Amino acid sequence: MKPLADGGRDSLTLKFPSEVFMNKKLKVAIIGSGNIGTDLMIKIMRHGEHLEMGAMVGIDPQSDGLARAQRMGVATTHEGVEGLTRLPVFADIDIIFDATSAGAHVRNDAFLRSLKPKIRMVDLTPAAIGPYCIPVVNGAAHDDALNVNMVTCGGQATIPMVAAVSRVAKVHYGEIIASISSKSAGPGTRANIDEFTETTSKAIEAVGGAAKGKAIIILNPAEPPLIMRDTVYCLSELVDEDEIAASVAQMAADVQKYVPGYRLKQKVQFDIIPASRPINIPGVGPRMSGLKTSVFLEVEGAAHYLPAYAGNLDIMTSAAKTTAERMAARILSAA
């Protein structure tokens, strides 16, 4: 099994002398007081290791997220990023999470960086100004990045599986289908469907290691709401199936370290596509053969703020928190 490049399970946790971190935390701000931002705030306040809430930023003064933040003693503003810069705590903010939209993040990053050039931005939108970051795959490679992109919920759930296959065999093609409850898809998700598919497809290649990637998202209106389900297909060169299955199982266990509700729904499935009966994959090749690997996943949310069926949102906030914890650890170690 080949190691993951510049990251992976051996680099999820940075190890520094314990006295470096004793009682030391960095202040963070969250832009976006909707479902994702509020869930992230609660995660940080309950489980922050090197992070503590500094401010919650929104544009709707009546939002539940701002109201909750106020009740929990967090500084708030409903005047967007401009309002954030007017808060006294802004001077102490080291890391900012952006849970708005792709277009808004481009503007937010430019504005905030004009005032604080070295501010760290964790982007939960599909804007992808900075490098794609999947904590369990390439997290260690971006500890010093000023802006990292968390891809998408579908990317966080499925790209680790593509990477699990690609560290064993050359992956010619990777396709993912993310099925989420329509109730868990807020206005930001719905407004960025095209960006979702484009960003996820690119990250399947850049982070997952596939030569060609494709992403599909399904908003399921079923009642009661269904839990997030993901399907991953990889076409690779022929290798030992047991080796791929072991790599997938190990990767699933690694993701579970920060997303406990992440699990395989069944054993990994394999189909051999012989050269005598090749298949046509548009954009890849007309005569493709090799080993088809099928992985079926389920992501249950921790229900910190969002319902348990909203695993798509939970995996984004969990991955973002894990990434910021690594950044904070690196900053604190250099202090």
Side-chain angles (χ1 to χ4, degrees):
M1 185 186 302
K2 295 179 289 185
L4 294 174
D6 300 315
R9 63 178 182 272
D10 295 331
S11 56
L12 269 178
T13 303
L14 290 178
K15 296 186 180 299
F16 298 106
S18 58
E19 62 271 14
V20 170
F21 299 125
M22 190 172 295
N23 300 320
K24 288 189 176 182
K25 293 187 177 183
L26 300 185
K27 289 188 181 298
V28 305
I30 298 173
I31 308 172
S33 59
N35 287 339
I36 292 179
T38 305
D39 185 73
L40 178 57
M41 174 184 70
I42 293 173
K43 279 180 167 60
I44 291 170
M45 296 191 75
R46 289 184 182 179
H47 306 295
E49 184 178 358
H50 308 310
L51 308 173
E52 64 180 0
M53 281 300 302
M56 172 66 93
V57 181
I59 56 175
D60 178 4
Q62 304 303 318
S63 75
D64 182 64
L66 289 180
R68 284 176 180 263
Q70 290 171 351
R71 291 198 299 269
M72 299 171 80
V74 178
T76 65
T77 176
H78 65 271
E79 298 177 334
V81 290
E82 290 84 359
L84 170 62
T85 63
R86 291 192 287 269
L87 292 176
V89 74
F90 180 65
D92 300 321
I93 298 294
D94 291 293
I95 299 173
I96 296 178
F97 298 91
D98 193 336
T100 56
S101 68
H105 176 68
V106 174
R107 296 188 295 272
N108 292 341
D109 181 82
F111 175 71
L112 292 168
R113 209 163 293 289
S114 70
L115 300 174
K116 276 191 167 186
K118 298 298 183 181
I119 194 73
R120 303 293 187 96
M121 298 285 287
V122 179
D123 174 19
L124 287 84
T125 81
I129 293 175
Y132 301 127
C133 182
I134 306 292
V136 77
V137 180
N138 69 339
H142 305 307
D143 288 344
D144 298 317
L146 295 180
N147 184 310
V148 293
N149 178 257
M150 303 312 299
V151 193
T152 60
C153 60
Q156 289 294 336
T158 60
I159 290 173
M161 295 297 105
V162 179
V165 177
S166 70
R167 66 183 175 184
V168 174
K170 181 179 179 180
V171 175
H172 308 300
Y173 177 70
E175 179 176 310
I176 72 96
I177 303 97
S179 178
I180 65 175
S181 168
S182 59
K183 278 193 171 181
S184 70
T189 299
R190 295 172 185 271
N192 287 277
I193 294 295
D194 288 344
E195 290 87 349
F196 175 100
T197 56
E198 292 169 6
T199 296
T200 308
S201 297
K202 291 177 182 177
I204 290 170
E205 302 166 8
V207 183
K212 180 68 175 178
K214 180 179 180 180
I216 300 169
I217 184 172
I218 298 171
L219 305 186
N220 192 326
E223 290 287 349
L226 297 180
I227 199 168
M228 183 190 197
R229 296 283 178 84
D230 300 283
T231 303
V232 181
Y233 297 118
C234 291
L235 179 64
S236 71
E237 61 185 345
L238 287 170
V239 295
D240 188 297
E241 295 175 8
D242 290 339
E243 193 172 356
I244 289 182
S247 179
V248 167
Q250 181 61 65
M251 185 68 81
D254 293 338
V255 176
Q256 285 171 356
K257 292 176 183 177
Y258 57 97
V259 188
Y262 185 92
R263 49 186 173 262
L264 297 172
K265 282 297 292 179
Q266 63 187 71
K267 290 183 178 180
V268 181
Q269 304 295 305
F270 297 100
D271 296 284
I272 295 177
I273 300 175
S276 60
R277 299 181 61 186
I279 60 174
N280 175 38
I281 302 178
V284 180
R287 300 187 62 80
M288 302 297 297
S289 61
L291 181 65
K292 176 186 173 184
T293 300
S294 303
V295 182
F296 304 95
L297 302 162
E298 179 177 86
V299 185
E300 181 179 3
H304 288 133
Y305 173 72
L306 305 165
Y309 64 75
N312 52 304
L313 304 182
D314 185 77
I315 197 169
M316 279 295 281
T317 55
S318 296
K321 176 182 174 296
T322 298
T323 298
E325 291 280 10
R326 290 188 55 89
M327 287 182 169
R330 179 60 65 93
I331 293 170
L332 290 169
S333 72

